[in-house]
Amino acid sequence: MTTHIVAGYDGTPSSIAAVAWAATEATVRNVDLSIVACCEFPTMGAASGGWLAGDMITPIVDATRSDVSTMKRSMTDRYPHLRIDVEVSTGSIHESLTNGLGPDDLLVVGSSRHTGGAAFWLGSTSRWATRHAPCPLVVVRGQASAGRPDRIVVGIDGSAPSDAALLWAADEADRHGIELVVVHAWDYPYVGVDTNTQQALELTRIDAACVLDRAAELARQRCGATVKDLLVEDGAVNAILGSVRDGDVLVLGVSGRGAIASRLIGSTVNSVVEHAAVPVVVVRPAA
């Protein structure tokens, strides 16, 4: 059960959408919402020693505090009974967002301004949080994310991380009283190489169907929502993105792989987060 929701805010459209999504979810879950904003200071040259004078810092902090307070008033007008607090930090956005969070909390951020190679070299809050958040992470992008969800879609592969995502998705579908769609992708990469291609392909499909059947049954045991299973012959990223539509919330599991391996090798989660037009929930299995 979620105990607290934290939303990152920096004034961008995606962060505004993230706060709005977080406020809706906090209302449904009857938990408090914290809106966290970090001051963005200009980079100073070597001539200044890299330091900002105090009379330059104060206006930036005040402007950030005013902006986030306006965001809070907007959410309070929409949800009068929602308890909202704000935090303005002059430190690292990463530390500010995750400080004090536990596994039962929920972190919500807007999608990165950078994608692909730019995200690799410049970094992004969503990518960092995917690797380091101690709780489920929600990455929100734009107006397609607004309002109560129509469906919960979860991508599974039979692993422990995907089981954790499946259970989270089942609870979320129950909470909103909406359909849960369980998606499993499969493909056979050796067509034209193996002399027994047709038989091997069919065995691969049957194995994938068994994985999906198990996941769907686990979801039905977990929740009372309608559960639909979807077996897609395609790569994982294409299958998952092709299964969602406006109004969905997409849920994925992520392993505990280290930060260096995740940055260098990449992952299905990073690719989906960068390209999905709907909110993506990244769930990490309990320790």
Side-chain angles (χ1 to χ4, degrees):
M1 180 178 293
T2 300
T3 57
H4 186 212
I5 296 179
V6 173
Y9 176 73
D10 62 6
T12 59
S14 63
S15 75
I16 293 172
V19 172
W21 192 96
T24 301
E25 194 70 13
T27 301
V28 171
R29 293 170 180 260
N30 192 30
V31 298
D32 296 351
L33 170 66
S34 294
I35 305 175
V36 178
C38 283
C39 301
E40 293 190 12
F41 299 112
T43 303
M44 303 303 290
S48 64
W51 295 96
L52 277 176
D55 58 354
M56 297 177 67
I57 294 176
T58 301
I60 295 174
V61 174
D62 290 344
T64 303
R65 184 173 288 112
S66 175
D67 189 20
V68 73
S69 295
T70 299
M71 189 73 240
K72 175 185 176 180
R73 285 194 297 272
S74 175
M75 292 300 102
T76 300
D77 289 343
R78 187 181 304 181
Y79 303 106
H81 302 294
L82 177 61
R83 299 175 297 275
I84 305 175
D85 64 81
V86 300
E87 176 187 340
V88 176
S89 172
T90 57
S92 162
I93 181 62
H94 300 155
E95 293 179 1
S96 300
L97 284 175
T98 57
N99 184 38
L101 285 181
D104 293 328
D105 296 320
L106 189 63
L107 175 60
V108 186
V109 299
S111 59
S112 172
R113 304 172 189 176
H114 311 292
T115 60
F120 180 92
W121 292 112
L122 300 176
S124 75
T125 299
S126 58
R127 279 202 172 206
W128 184 91
T130 297
R131 297 191 299 273
H132 298 287
C135 61
L137 165 73
V138 187
V139 182
V140 178
R141 186 190 307 276
Q143 292 304 309
S145 308
R148 177 179 175 273
D150 298 327
R151 306 185 307 171
I152 305 297
V153 179
V154 57
I156 64 98
D157 62 9
S159 66
S162 85
D163 281 352
L166 178 70
L167 296 179
W168 195 99
D171 290 344
E172 187 74 354
D174 241 1
R175 184 174 294 112
H176 288 279
I178 56 179
E179 182 181 59
L180 172 64
V181 181
V182 184
V183 180
H184 181 38
W186 74 282
D187 60 5
Y188 185 72
Y190 306 113
V191 174
V193 177
D194 192 337
T195 56
N196 299 311
T197 294
Q198 192 57 44
Q199 181 182 8
L201 188 149
E202 184 61 16
L203 289 174
T204 302
R205 187 196 66 78
I206 292 172
D207 182 64
C210 290
V211 171
L212 179 61
D213 287 346
R214 172 192 169 276
E217 180 59 28
L218 180 59
R220 292 186 179 101
Q221 293 174 4
R222 179 77 169 196
C223 70
T226 299
V227 177
K228 175 183 177 181
D229 53 67
L230 187 60
L231 187 63
V232 182
E233 184 180 1
D234 204 343
V237 174
N238 288 338
I240 291 168
L241 292 176
S243 300
V244 296
R245 64 194 187 203
D246 286 358
D248 289 345
V249 168
L250 175 59
V251 185
L252 298 174
V254 66
S255 67
R257 266 167 71 176
I260 294 177
S262 180
R263 280 184 72 91
L264 294 180
I265 299 173
S267 69
T268 297
V269 171
N270 282 339
S271 296
V272 171
V273 165
E274 286 181 3
H275 296 98
V278 302
V280 180
V281 185
V282 181
V283 180
R284 192 180 303 277

mmCIF file of all heavy atoms in Angstrom, residues 23-24 26-33 72-85:
data_model
loop_
_atom_site.group_PDB
_atom_site.id
_atom_site.type_symbol
_atom_site.label_atom_id
_atom_site.label_comp_id
_atom_site.label_asym_id
_atom_site.label_seq_id
_atom_site.Cartn_x
_atom_site.Cartn_y
_atom_site.Cartn_z
ATOM 1 N N ALA A 23 -1.300 14.012 -8.385
ATOM 2 C CA ALA A 23 -2.400 14.515 -7.558
ATOM 3 C C ALA A 23 -3.636 13.635 -7.695
ATOM 4 O O ALA A 23 -4.313 13.320 -6.709
ATOM 5 C CB ALA A 23 -2.723 15.953 -7.944
ATOM 6 N N THR A 24 -3.937 13.227 -8.931
ATOM 7 C CA THR A 24 -5.069 12.336 -9.154
ATOM 8 C C THR A 24 -4.868 11.019 -8.418
ATOM 9 O O THR A 24 -5.764 10.510 -7.737
ATOM 10 C CB THR A 24 -5.258 12.058 -10.661
ATOM 11 O OG1 THR A 24 -5.478 13.297 -11.336
ATOM 12 C CG2 THR A 24 -6.432 11.134 -10.902
ATOM 13 N N ALA A 26 -2.862 10.409 -5.848
ATOM 14 C CA ALA A 26 -2.864 10.611 -4.396
ATOM 15 C C ALA A 26 -4.290 10.701 -3.861
ATOM 16 O O ALA A 26 -4.591 10.209 -2.764
ATOM 17 C CB ALA A 26 -2.086 11.881 -4.042
ATOM 18 N N THR A 27 -5.173 11.318 -4.641
ATOM 19 C CA THR A 27 -6.570 11.422 -4.225
ATOM 20 C C THR A 27 -7.226 10.047 -4.190
ATOM 21 O O THR A 27 -7.935 9.704 -3.240
ATOM 22 C CB THR A 27 -7.342 12.347 -5.191
ATOM 23 O OG1 THR A 27 -6.729 13.638 -5.194
ATOM 24 C CG2 THR A 27 -8.789 12.492 -4.767
ATOM 25 N N VAL A 28 -6.970 9.241 -5.218
ATOM 26 C CA VAL A 28 -7.542 7.891 -5.280
ATOM 27 C C VAL A 28 -7.023 7.027 -4.135
ATOM 28 O O VAL A 28 -7.769 6.257 -3.520
ATOM 29 C CB VAL A 28 -7.220 7.228 -6.635
ATOM 30 C CG1 VAL A 28 -7.621 5.761 -6.633
ATOM 31 C CG2 VAL A 28 -7.916 7.969 -7.768
ATOM 32 N N ARG A 29 -5.742 7.182 -3.826
ATOM 33 C CA ARG A 29 -5.119 6.364 -2.783
ATOM 34 C C ARG A 29 -5.288 6.952 -1.383
ATOM 35 O O ARG A 29 -4.926 6.315 -0.396
ATOM 36 C CB ARG A 29 -3.623 6.209 -3.078
ATOM 37 C CG ARG A 29 -3.316 5.393 -4.333
ATOM 38 C CD ARG A 29 -1.846 5.485 -4.704
ATOM 39 N NE ARG A 29 -1.517 4.726 -5.894
ATOM 40 C CZ ARG A 29 -0.960 3.518 -5.896
ATOM 41 N NH1 ARG A 29 -0.645 2.949 -4.744
ATOM 42 N NH2 ARG A 29 -0.696 2.896 -7.027
ATOM 43 N N ASN A 30 -5.777 8.212 -1.306
ATOM 44 C CA ASN A 30 -5.946 8.902 -0.027
ATOM 45 C C ASN A 30 -4.630 9.012 0.738
ATOM 46 O O ASN A 30 -4.533 8.670 1.919
ATOM 47 C CB ASN A 30 -6.994 8.203 0.849
ATOM 48 C CG ASN A 30 -7.413 9.046 2.046
ATOM 49 O OD1 ASN A 30 -7.397 10.282 1.993
ATOM 50 N ND2 ASN A 30 -7.779 8.395 3.133
ATOM 51 N N VAL A 31 -3.597 9.487 0.042
ATOM 52 C CA VAL A 31 -2.294 9.705 0.660
ATOM 53 C C VAL A 31 -1.837 11.136 0.381
ATOM 54 O O VAL A 31 -2.416 11.830 -0.457
ATOM 55 C CB VAL A 31 -1.243 8.709 0.133
ATOM 56 C CG1 VAL A 31 -1.629 7.281 0.474
ATOM 57 C CG2 VAL A 31 -1.041 8.867 -1.372
ATOM 58 N N ASP A 32 -0.813 11.568 1.084
ATOM 59 C CA ASP A 32 -0.275 12.918 0.900
ATOM 60 C C ASP A 32 0.561 12.998 -0.376
ATOM 61 O O ASP A 32 1.135 12.004 -0.833
ATOM 62 C CB ASP A 32 0.601 13.318 2.093
ATOM 63 C CG ASP A 32 -0.196 13.417 3.397
ATOM 64 O OD1 ASP A 32 -1.434 13.343 3.332
ATOM 65 O OD2 ASP A 32 0.441 13.556 4.456
ATOM 66 N N LEU A 33 0.642 14.222 -0.902
ATOM 67 C CA LEU A 33 1.468 14.500 -2.082
ATOM 68 C C LEU A 33 2.515 15.545 -1.738
ATOM 69 O O LEU A 33 2.203 16.576 -1.127
ATOM 70 C CB LEU A 33 0.590 15.014 -3.226
ATOM 71 C CG LEU A 33 1.330 15.576 -4.453
ATOM 72 C CD1 LEU A 33 2.108 14.469 -5.154
ATOM 73 C CD2 LEU A 33 0.344 16.227 -5.419
ATOM 74 N N LYS A 72 1.013 24.257 -6.658
ATOM 75 C CA LYS A 72 0.282 23.683 -5.531
ATOM 76 C C LYS A 72 -1.137 24.236 -5.476
ATOM 77 O O LYS A 72 -2.101 23.482 -5.281
ATOM 78 C CB LYS A 72 1.015 23.982 -4.219
ATOM 79 C CG LYS A 72 0.238 23.521 -2.989
ATOM 80 C CD LYS A 72 0.917 23.934 -1.695
ATOM 81 C CE LYS A 72 0.059 23.548 -0.496
ATOM 82 N NZ LYS A 72 0.688 23.932 0.793
ATOM 83 N N ARG A 73 -1.294 25.547 -5.658
ATOM 84 C CA ARG A 73 -2.633 26.141 -5.612
ATOM 85 C C ARG A 73 -3.525 25.568 -6.704
ATOM 86 O O ARG A 73 -4.721 25.324 -6.507
ATOM 87 C CB ARG A 73 -2.546 27.667 -5.744
ATOM 88 C CG ARG A 73 -2.053 28.362 -4.481
ATOM 89 C CD ARG A 73 -2.305 29.852 -4.546
ATOM 90 N NE ARG A 73 -1.561 30.483 -5.640
ATOM 91 C CZ ARG A 73 -0.326 30.941 -5.520
ATOM 92 N NH1 ARG A 73 0.314 30.824 -4.352
ATOM 93 N NH2 ARG A 73 0.285 31.516 -6.546
ATOM 94 N N SER A 74 -2.935 25.329 -7.872
ATOM 95 C CA SER A 74 -3.703 24.753 -8.973
ATOM 96 C C SER A 74 -4.227 23.367 -8.608
ATOM 97 O O SER A 74 -5.388 23.033 -8.883
ATOM 98 C CB SER A 74 -2.825 24.680 -10.224
ATOM 99 O OG SER A 74 -3.495 24.032 -11.278
ATOM 100 N N MET A 75 -3.381 22.558 -7.970
ATOM 101 C CA MET A 75 -3.808 21.216 -7.582
ATOM 102 C C MET A 75 -4.792 21.265 -6.406
ATOM 103 O O MET A 75 -5.733 20.462 -6.340
ATOM 104 C CB MET A 75 -2.594 20.364 -7.197
ATOM 105 C CG MET A 75 -1.676 20.041 -8.368
ATOM 106 S SD MET A 75 -2.498 19.121 -9.706
ATOM 107 C CE MET A 75 -2.776 20.447 -10.916
ATOM 108 N N THR A 76 -4.609 22.207 -5.501
ATOM 109 C CA THR A 76 -5.524 22.346 -4.365
ATOM 110 C C THR A 76 -6.909 22.769 -4.837
ATOM 111 O O THR A 76 -7.934 22.314 -4.310
ATOM 112 C CB THR A 76 -4.973 23.361 -3.351
ATOM 113 O OG1 THR A 76 -3.694 22.916 -2.879
ATOM 114 C CG2 THR A 76 -5.903 23.505 -2.159
ATOM 115 N N ASP A 77 -6.962 23.649 -5.842
ATOM 116 C CA ASP A 77 -8.254 24.047 -6.404
ATOM 117 C C ASP A 77 -8.967 22.847 -7.021
ATOM 118 O O ASP A 77 -10.193 22.733 -6.947
ATOM 119 C CB ASP A 77 -8.059 25.130 -7.470
ATOM 120 C CG ASP A 77 -7.637 26.469 -6.881
ATOM 121 O OD1 ASP A 77 -7.805 26.646 -5.654
ATOM 122 O OD2 ASP A 77 -7.126 27.313 -7.643
ATOM 123 N N ARG A 78 -8.182 21.949 -7.631
ATOM 124 C CA ARG A 78 -8.774 20.786 -8.292
ATOM 125 C C ARG A 78 -9.163 19.716 -7.284
ATOM 126 O O ARG A 78 -10.192 19.036 -7.436
ATOM 127 C CB ARG A 78 -7.785 20.209 -9.308
ATOM 128 C CG ARG A 78 -8.363 19.101 -10.169
ATOM 129 C CD ARG A 78 -7.327 18.546 -11.150
ATOM 130 N NE ARG A 78 -6.742 19.569 -12.009
ATOM 131 C CZ ARG A 78 -5.840 19.308 -12.955
ATOM 132 N NH1 ARG A 78 -5.430 18.050 -13.129
ATOM 133 N NH2 ARG A 78 -5.352 20.275 -13.702
ATOM 134 N N TYR A 79 -8.325 19.542 -6.245
ATOM 135 C CA TYR A 79 -8.571 18.523 -5.224
ATOM 136 C C TYR A 79 -8.504 19.179 -3.842
ATOM 137 O O TYR A 79 -7.466 19.123 -3.173
ATOM 138 C CB TYR A 79 -7.535 17.400 -5.320
ATOM 139 C CG TYR A 79 -7.470 16.729 -6.676
ATOM 140 C CD1 TYR A 79 -6.401 16.965 -7.548
ATOM 141 C CD2 TYR A 79 -8.479 15.864 -7.086
ATOM 142 C CE1 TYR A 79 -6.343 16.341 -8.789
ATOM 143 C CE2 TYR A 79 -8.428 15.250 -8.325
ATOM 144 C CZ TYR A 79 -7.362 15.495 -9.171
ATOM 145 O OH TYR A 79 -7.306 14.884 -10.400
ATOM 146 N N PRO A 80 -9.598 19.800 -3.395
ATOM 147 C CA PRO A 80 -9.574 20.584 -2.145
ATOM 148 C C PRO A 80 -9.191 19.777 -0.912
ATOM 149 O O PRO A 80 -8.669 20.350 0.057
ATOM 150 C CB PRO A 80 -11.017 21.101 -2.036
ATOM 151 C CG PRO A 80 -11.575 21.015 -3.413
ATOM 152 C CD PRO A 80 -10.904 19.846 -4.061
ATOM 153 N N HIS A 81 -9.448 18.482 -0.911
ATOM 154 C CA HIS A 81 -9.180 17.675 0.281
ATOM 155 C C HIS A 81 -7.812 16.990 0.249
ATOM 156 O O HIS A 81 -7.451 16.296 1.199
ATOM 157 C CB HIS A 81 -10.284 16.616 0.446
ATOM 158 C CG HIS A 81 -11.658 17.194 0.557
ATOM 159 N ND1 HIS A 81 -12.054 17.978 1.630
ATOM 160 C CD2 HIS A 81 -12.722 17.135 -0.291
ATOM 161 C CE1 HIS A 81 -13.314 18.360 1.453
ATOM 162 N NE2 HIS A 81 -13.737 17.872 0.296
ATOM 163 N N LEU A 82 -7.075 17.197 -0.821
ATOM 164 C CA LEU A 82 -5.758 16.576 -0.925
ATOM 165 C C LEU A 82 -4.735 17.348 -0.109
ATOM 166 O O LEU A 82 -4.628 18.568 -0.208
ATOM 167 C CB LEU A 82 -5.321 16.523 -2.395
ATOM 168 C CG LEU A 82 -3.919 15.972 -2.690
ATOM 169 C CD1 LEU A 82 -3.792 14.530 -2.216
ATOM 170 C CD2 LEU A 82 -3.611 16.085 -4.188
ATOM 171 N N ARG A 83 -3.953 16.619 0.689
ATOM 172 C CA ARG A 83 -2.901 17.239 1.496
ATOM 173 C C ARG A 83 -1.627 17.341 0.645
ATOM 174 O O ARG A 83 -1.086 16.323 0.218
ATOM 175 C CB ARG A 83 -2.637 16.423 2.757
ATOM 176 C CG ARG A 83 -3.852 16.309 3.672
ATOM 177 C CD ARG A 83 -3.592 15.393 4.862
ATOM 178 N NE ARG A 83 -3.333 14.030 4.444
ATOM 179 C CZ ARG A 83 -4.280 13.125 4.201
ATOM 180 N NH1 ARG A 83 -5.555 13.460 4.311
ATOM 181 N NH2 ARG A 83 -3.963 11.891 3.856
ATOM 182 N N ILE A 84 -1.180 18.589 0.425
ATOM 183 C CA ILE A 84 -0.022 18.835 -0.443
ATOM 184 C C ILE A 84 1.007 19.675 0.301
ATOM 185 O O ILE A 84 0.669 20.699 0.908
ATOM 186 C CB ILE A 84 -0.436 19.577 -1.735
ATOM 187 C CG1 ILE A 84 -1.543 18.833 -2.471
ATOM 188 C CG2 ILE A 84 0.768 19.774 -2.644
ATOM 189 C CD1 ILE A 84 -2.069 19.571 -3.688
ATOM 190 N N ASP A 85 2.260 19.247 0.244
ATOM 191 C CA ASP A 85 3.342 20.104 0.722
ATOM 192 C C ASP A 85 4.346 20.291 -0.398
ATOM 193 O O ASP A 85 4.392 19.495 -1.338
ATOM 194 C CB ASP A 85 4.015 19.519 1.977
ATOM 195 C CG ASP A 85 4.698 18.190 1.705
ATOM 196 O OD1 ASP A 85 5.828 18.199 1.195
ATOM 197 O OD2 ASP A 85 4.096 17.132 1.994
#
